[in-house]
Amino acid sequence: FVFYSGHGAPDPGSGTAYLVPSDADPQSIGLTGFPVKQIYNNLAQLPASSITVVMDACFSGLTDRGSLLRGISPLTLRVENPVLAAANSVVLTASRSTEVSGWYDQEQHGLFTYTFLDQVKKTFANGVPDSVPSAKFLADQVTPEVVRMSRRIRQREQTPQLFGAGVDTPLPFIKKP
């Protein structure tokens, strides 16, 4: 299970998606960022029974304060993801590649992160349910709430996305007692 909440940015030259650490320079993202493709390549090599990636980052190159990258319009890109080929693997993202993943100021979290964690808390409020929920179950709960709250709080679209063949696989971080 991998969870990331932070900035993402595209390299304008190659279109490669990068995670943006706090000390990264978005103008030199190829040197100071972490390639998302490398994460997926590394995960695909693991002998894991399932892989779940939850990512609260957008890769449009935009933030609430404007573009991370000086002098260019937002980019769209596609990330090659070998994890998605595995039968029990899934990726849940905070937004479409062309959307900004918004912040929820009141809760000091990303809107997606807050909603995801709130849904996990509600799902397990009375212990582990008889049937361990899947990523699809959580996505079905989280997506409409993120869409609704983004429209209300930020007056824009933010639509979480679920990818992979393992959408119905029980979440790997939950163990039945």
Side-chain angles (χ1 to χ4, degrees):
F1 180 81
V2 176
F3 184 91
Y4 175 81
S5 180
H7 285 296
D11 180 300
S14 67
T16 301
Y18 287 88
L19 300 181
V20 182
S22 62
D23 61 349
D25 176 2
Q27 306 313 313
S28 302
I29 198 66
L31 297 173
T32 61
F34 193 87
V36 174
K37 183 179 178 180
Q38 183 176 344
I39 292 170
Y40 291 142
N41 285 340
N42 291 347
L43 289 172
Q45 301 302 313
L46 293 176
S49 60
S50 69
I51 296 171
T52 300
V53 177
V54 178
M55 195 168 295
D56 188 353
C58 67
F59 295 93
S60 65
L62 294 175
T63 71
D64 284 337
R65 289 174 266 153
S67 180
L68 279 172
L69 306 167
R70 288 188 302 268
I72 66 168
S73 298
L75 301 171
T76 58
L77 57 116
R78 295 184 65 90
V79 177
E80 292 177 30
N81 187 341
V83 169
L84 296 180
N88 290 328
S89 297
V90 63
V91 175
L92 177 58
T93 64
S95 61
R96 293 182 174 132
S97 65
T98 57
E99 296 173 338
V100 172
S101 297
W103 185 251
Y104 190 13
D105 297 322
Q106 179 181 335
E107 297 295 335
Q108 298 183 325
H109 276 295
L111 178 58
F112 172 81
T113 295
Y114 172 79
T115 307
F116 179 82
L117 294 175
D118 187 56
Q119 186 57 50
V120 169
K121 184 171 70 174
K122 287 176 183 173
T123 300
F124 299 102
N126 297 317
V128 178
D130 291 336
S131 175
V132 175
S134 66
K136 182 174 181 351
F137 171 83
L138 281 177
D140 287 348
Q141 306 305 307
V142 169
T143 298
E145 186 65 8
V146 169
V147 168
R148 183 188 70 75
M149 290 178 70
S150 182
R151 287 176 181 160
R152 183 174 57 85
I153 294 170
R154 298 288 180 197
Q155 293 77 50
R156 66 173 169 240
E157 296 297 314
Q158 179 177 339
T159 313
Q161 303 292 290
L162 182 65
F163 306 96
V167 296
D168 291 318
T169 302
L171 292 169
F173 58 90
I174 311 298
K175 299 288 185 214
K176 288 294 290 174

